[in-house]
Amino acid sequence: MAQQHFLSQFSDKPRYNTKAVAQETGVPADTFRAWERRYGVPRPQRTEGGHRLYSERDIATIRWLRDRTAEGLTISQAIALMTDGNESSLSWLSTAVDTEPHTWERLNSRLITALTDFDATRAEQILGEAFALYPMEEVFLKMVQPTMIEIGEQWHAGRITVTAEHFATQFIRRKLSGLFNTYNITDGRGLVLVACAPSEQHDLGVLMLSVFLVRHGWQVIYLGPEVPLRDLIETVRQLQPDLVAVAASTTETATQLLEAGRAIQALPPPTPHFGYGGRAFNINPMLIQRMPGTFLGHDAQEAVDHVADLLSGKR
């Protein structure tokens, strides 16, 4: 499929039937046919027998609209954003098809430049192109996460200002928060409490995990950065979650999780599972040997898989 390689390979050639498009995008056929009738998007062609055939560009369009509505836009707002208010021109797609191939490396480079230039409009466009090409989880793991790591390293090296780093962080936080609020449920497969270590200020990783979890049907209570141990334990007693997932990005904050894990595992039944992760454990795997509980993996997708195993009794 072209969306797995380069946006420039998108074709107008009709080749996919309605069932194939629904399977490829996860959008029900009735939904994108309604978009077509009301807004003229997507734009399938017809066979001699009158059946719709969709192109790769149509599939990219449907994906993009799917993700914008998942973020909270109405379909009319998403159409307007995509077409710059002119429904006769799919401006972002027609422009993108003529550009250089959109590899992850190039997408990341463009997003870094947009964010460090304080250009939210351009960053939105780049993310929109990525969401049209790839599943949401891939965009965050292969594009957003490496971009934020690189921006953090540039700030530490003195190549960008703290204001640029803060702008980038807040831009991504708004995206993740919007998705979390859109997908969050009050009754799911199980209750997961997600938090940062007591002195941990960097919460984008656990916010990303929270988004991935709710998209997989888990009920999530997100507590954010710098959660004091005493308050965390009290909240666990009150809510009785199935799992407590806590993250740390530095050795100092990872050490704080040692006490947190022991305290949680010492609670009376029903005692929740204790899981942990974060950049600190990816950089220094030796820390894992000291920790109680379960290491949830090196990224949010691995963590989702580990959560499913833990709470289904496979671990």
Side-chain angles (χ1 to χ4, degrees), residues 162-213:
V162 67
T163 52
E165 190 274 339
H166 284 185
F167 173 83
T169 298
Q170 295 306 319
F171 178 89
I172 299 301
R173 179 176 284 113
R174 288 195 302 272
K175 287 295 173 189
L176 288 168
S177 296
L179 288 166
F180 179 74
N181 292 333
T182 297
Y183 286 106
N184 199 19
I185 52 179
T186 57
D187 183 22
R189 298 164 63 185
L191 178 60
V192 182
L193 209 62
V194 180
C196 289
S199 298
E200 181 59 62
Q201 298 178 346
H202 299 91
D203 67 328
L204 291 186
V206 288
L207 186 51
M208 187 184 302
L209 170 61
S210 298
V211 171
F212 283 25
L213 285 170

Side-chain angles (χ1 to χ4, degrees), residues 2-120:
Q3 98 277 5
Q4 295 175 334
H5 298 288
F6 310 114
L7 188 59
S8 61
Q9 293 179 347
F10 277 168
S11 169
D12 285 328
K13 183 178 180 180
R15 61 176 65 182
Y16 304 100
N17 63 24
T18 300
K19 182 178 179 181
V21 173
Q23 291 175 339
E24 181 69 22
T25 63
V27 177
D30 288 344
T31 299
F32 58 78
R33 282 198 295 255
W35 296 347
E36 176 194 344
R37 288 192 301 270
R38 182 164 184 178
Y39 301 103
V41 177
R43 298 174 177 175
Q45 297 186 33
R46 298 274 185 166
T47 66
E48 291 183 0
H51 298 292
R52 291 175 174 85
L53 283 181
Y54 297 83
S55 67
E56 292 172 348
R57 189 180 300 189
D58 290 324
I59 290 176
T61 301
I62 293 168
R63 278 198 178 122
W64 193 89
L65 293 171
R66 172 200 66 192
D67 291 326
R68 300 294 75 73
T69 55
E71 290 174 351
L73 294 181
T74 65
I75 184 59
S76 60
Q77 289 171 332
I79 293 285
L81 179 63
M82 183 177 67
T83 62
D84 293 328
N86 179 4
E87 294 182 9
S88 66
S89 172
L90 299 184
S91 58
W92 72 271
L93 269 177
S94 59
T95 300
V97 169
D98 296 327
T99 61
E100 297 177 26
H102 282 48
T103 61
W104 286 119
E105 181 179 2
R106 187 165 183 272
L107 283 167
N108 294 356
S109 176
R110 292 170 60 210
L111 184 59
I112 289 170
T113 299
L115 290 174
T116 54
D117 284 346
F118 303 93
D119 191 342

Side-chain angles (χ1 to χ4, degrees), residues 189 273 305-315:
R189 298 164 63 185
H273 292 280
D305 295 338
H306 284 306
V307 169
D309 288 345
L310 271 175
L311 299 187
S312 65
K314 293 181 180 178
R315 287 176 173 267

